[in-house]
Amino acid sequence: MKYLSTRNRDIRVPAAKTIARGLSPDGGLYVPEVLPTLPDGALKSLCGMNYTQRAVYVMSMFLDDFTASELTRYTSKAYSAAGFDTPDVAPVRSVDGSTHFLELWHGPTCAFKDMALQMLPYLLTASLKKTGEDKSVCILVATSGDTGKAALEGFADIEGTKILVFYPHNGVSDIQKLQMTSQSGSNVGVCAVKGNFDDAQTGVKSIFSDKALEEQLAQRGWLLSSANSINWGRLLPQIVYYISAYCDLVNSHNIKMGEKVNFCVPTGNFGDILAGYYAMKMGVPVNKLICASNKNDVLTDFINTGTYDKNRKFFTTISPSMDILVSSNLERLLFDISGFNDMLIREYMYELSSEGKYTVSDDIRNRIASVFSAGYCDDDETKDVINRTFSEKNYLIDTHTAVAYGVLEKYRRSTEDNTVSVVISTASPYKFCDSVLSALGDDVEERGLALIDLLEKRTGVPAPMPLKNLNKKVVRFTDSVEKSQLTEKVLNFLK
Ligand SMILES: *Cc1c(COP(=O)(O)O)cnc(C)c1O
């Protein structure tokens, strides 16, 4: 199986090269040339497997340059008991007969990015070997919080790699900062940037396009790479949990084999929900994929009108991982829905970069509407959902998950569609203690780690160990640099 660029179908490369490169040289994203489908009876056999086995089965269908035994080795390490606090890895929690939460936050950093970033280091290092690359790889990340920590946990002590994370010095929460600055591992680095997230991101982007630096680092045996969500190696592991959730619902007799379900997904960069779309195309019975946004509702407007317009006010919300105006992975959906029309995608993406907007054809818009529904929740609605879900269902959810559940409720009211629905739960409520406590009506003065204890006392829900244990951690990284000094920092890190 080969992979194509969404902007040029004539670019055809094997999976290992796709993962090693991340982005296609023409700026497009790699997609499989044919989406594999689950053969007859496959879903039934998947029902009898555990999560790791399901992951090997599904990923093998896409990675024919990897052997099953390689993938077994990687998935057993990625989803082991050392990192995940439940052998189910991605358990489904039911709150009533037709509403189920797929909990994707049982990994080491308590957010769903672990599902992919625990796996990516193995796929990436193996891909570099397979493509004959003899340099070691250094991952550079600019983070607003969640991705940096998940990437650090994924790459810590992985042979042949180093990882350096930059975060804005006043732009992450106390808990997120401590999670990163106390990171263990002999190959990791963390550094504050005196500026905001955009400064950090712009700095890292300019390092990636610095040819002289690339050369200099190559002579030292280093290759720079990124861990962001346009890499196929991050998307693929996410397809697995949609299939796994379907099997779990069959096994628990909440649905019959073949019965359709809805998935409602809190969306930022469109990676998570796109994985759901691929799972559907592979054969998982899906009625609707519901795309949930916060007040940054650019995707809601796009799905409802056919116009993607990023020229709008940017809001900072209590679901920060969804505060995004350009959802990169949407390009992959458009490529698929348009019947692999690379010329059209080039046009849309050109308009997006020159005008900040594009409008898809009526045909494409209708096709999207036949699969996707969309809605959004603002911060007040989100808090109300957290409050009601806890008091009525005795289930504590985080702000991102609450956006999705709120949008599902609105969808049900407006459509009267009673299909069994799965809400994708993307973070532990303990990652966003301040907003969750305030949603429960507790306005507190404490900050940082003290909030974890307060939320535990308030709800009786145990906090995940990696967060509870943060108070025992020692800060290892205290460096901060001016935004003009990122290159220097990288050169020192790779001495
Ligand atoms: C990244 C993230 C999202 C958004 O996922 P996308 O794949 O970017 O759409 C939602 N919730 C949480 C907690 C996240 O960290």
Side-chain angles (χ1 to χ4, degrees):
M1 147 127 53
K2 297 285 196 292
Y3 287 75
L4 315 175
S5 162
T6 48
R7 297 189 195 179
N8 181 357
R9 299 199 313 199
D10 297 334
I11 295 184
R12 274 178 92 244
V13 301
K17 200 160 188 176
T18 301
I19 294 170
R21 274 188 182 166
L23 193 68
S24 170
D26 62 346
L29 308 187
Y30 288 116
V31 289
E33 62 180 345
V34 187
L35 208 63
T37 49
L38 295 165
D40 276 354
L43 266 180
K44 197 156 171 240
S45 2
L46 282 157
C47 284
M49 300 181 191
N50 66 26
Y51 192 86
T52 309
Q53 293 165 327
R54 289 171 184 169
V56 173
Y57 185 103
V58 174
M59 289 198 276
S60 297
M61 296 175 81
F62 289 89
L63 303 175
D64 52 13
D65 36 5
F66 288 68
T67 65
S69 81
E70 277 178 290
L71 289 174
T72 303
R73 218 165 54 236
Y74 305 154
T75 49
S76 334
K77 285 192 208 160
Y79 302 119
S80 74
F84 282 76
D85 66 11
T86 160
D88 294 339
V89 181
V92 174
R93 161 88 186 239
S94 305
V95 296
D96 59 52
S98 60
T99 313
H100 310 275
F101 288 79
L102 171 58
E103 295 183 345
L104 300 178
W105 41 263
H106 289 275
T109 78
C110 311
F112 102 101
K113 292 194 170 59
D114 288 333
M115 300 303 298
L117 280 166
Q118 284 294 302
M119 189 67 200
L120 179 69
Y122 301 109
L123 293 178
L124 181 63
T125 47
S127 294
L128 289 168
K129 278 211 187 91
K130 286 177 199 288
T131 54
E133 180 59 66
D134 52 9
K135 292 190 275 302
S136 303
V137 65
C138 176
I139 305 294
L140 287 189
V141 183
T143 186
S144 55
D146 279 351
T147 306
K149 176 62 183 178
L152 284 164
E153 276 294 333
F155 281 93
D157 290 327
I158 297 284
E159 211 176 305
T161 76
K162 284 188 103 171
I163 173 166
L164 179 57
V165 171
F166 292 103
Y167 68 92
H169 71 148
N170 288 327
V172 300
S173 76
D174 297 348
I175 291 180
Q176 285 174 322
K177 181 171 167 180
L178 186 55
Q179 274 190 305
M180 289 190 280
T181 55
S182 65
Q183 176 66 45
S184 57
S186 57
N187 64 337
V188 305
V190 177
C191 179
V193 177
K194 292 175 189 155
N196 58 26
F197 172 62
D198 270 341
D199 296 324
Q201 187 163 46
T202 308
V204 166
K205 275 192 180 156
S206 76
I207 290 175
F208 279 121
S209 54
D210 185 339
K211 289 282 168 212
L213 180 68
E214 185 181 328
E215 198 104 316
Q216 194 179 353
L217 292 176
Q219 277 170 12
R220 297 186 192 174
W222 287 101
L223 173 81
L224 295 179
S225 183
S226 96
N228 75 26
S229 77
I230 45 124
N231 193 312
W232 180 252
R234 261 191 75 175
L235 209 48
L236 178 58
Q238 298 182 211
I239 298 175
V240 177
Y241 53 70
Y242 285 92
I243 297 174
S244 177
Y246 189 86
C247 291
D248 287 351
L249 286 173
V250 171
N251 287 346
S252 60
H253 306 291
N254 278 292
I255 54 171
K256 291 198 190 65
M257 178 59 84
E259 185 178 339
K260 287 186 175 179
V261 299
N262 295 327
F263 287 103
C264 185
V265 190
T267 303
N269 213 12
F270 210 77
D272 199 356
I273 194 166
L274 181 73
Y277 174 77
Y278 285 144
M280 179 196 85
K281 292 205 72 174
M282 289 176 73
V284 175
V286 171
N287 175 52
K288 280 275 172 185
L289 294 169
I290 303 166
C291 175
S293 302
N294 62 27
K295 205 171 173 191
N296 295 295
D297 58 346
V298 59
L299 283 167
T300 311
D301 285 348
F302 171 67
I303 289 170
N304 292 333
T305 69
T307 297
Y308 194 99
D309 187 353
K310 69 163 186 165
N311 305 309
R312 59 177 70 213
K313 195 168 162 247
F314 175 82
F315 296 100
T316 302
T317 73
I318 57 171
S319 44
S321 300
M322 299 159 72
D323 291 346
I324 247 178
L325 290 182
V326 178
S327 301
S328 320
N329 274 300
L330 187 60
E331 181 170 341
R332 286 188 164 113
L333 177 73
L334 294 172
F335 183 72
D336 194 82
I337 291 239
S338 68
F340 287 24
N341 192 335
D342 51 356
M343 258 173 64
L344 190 65
I345 303 306
R346 275 208 302 274
E347 249 171 62
Y348 291 161
M349 293 306 129
Y350 176 75
E351 286 169 30
L352 182 65
S353 66
S354 58
E355 314 285 327
K357 63 175 181 175
Y358 59 89
T359 300
V360 297
S361 67
D362 285 347
D363 180 44
I364 292 183
R365 183 179 132 195
N366 291 334
R367 283 171 195 241
I368 291 176
S370 70
V371 179
F372 291 87
S373 185
Y376 79 98
C377 279
D378 66 21
D379 281 356
D380 286 341
E381 291 172 305
T382 305
K383 285 186 177 178
D384 179 56
V385 171
I386 293 174
N387 189 306
R388 281 188 294 108
T389 308
F390 187 65
S391 60
E392 290 166 16
K393 315 255 185 205
N394 194 28
Y395 184 51
L396 189 65
I397 54 178
D398 96 291
T399 48
H400 303 76
T401 309
V403 166
Y405 191 25
V407 168
L408 175 64
E409 290 181 316
K410 290 186 191 185
Y411 167 83
R412 282 174 166 164
R413 278 199 298 273
S414 67
T415 60
E416 296 181 23
D417 172 13
N418 288 320
T419 305
V420 168
S421 298
V422 180
V423 176
I424 307 297
S425 176
T426 50
S428 159
Y430 282 92
K431 274 206 104 163
F432 302 94
C433 291
D434 46 351
S435 304
V436 172
L437 277 163
S438 135
L440 297 176
D442 291 14
D443 282 312
V444 295
E445 279 170 15
E446 285 88 340
R447 286 188 55 187
L449 294 183
L451 296 177
I452 294 178
D453 292 336
L454 280 179
L455 187 56
E456 255 190 339
K457 285 207 187 83
R458 170 70 172 80
T459 62
V461 177
M465 288 318 277
L467 295 178
K468 241 182 126 55
N469 285 339
L470 270 179
N471 59 7
K472 302 192 187 89
K473 292 269 182 173
V474 183
V475 171
R476 297 180 61 205
F477 303 101
T478 52
D479 274 11
S480 69
V481 296
E482 300 294 336
K483 53 191 182 190
S484 57
Q485 295 177 317
L486 269 56
T487 306
E488 214 178 305
K489 178 77 196 176
V490 171
L491 281 167
N492 273 330
F493 185 64
L494 298 179
K495 261 213 184 98

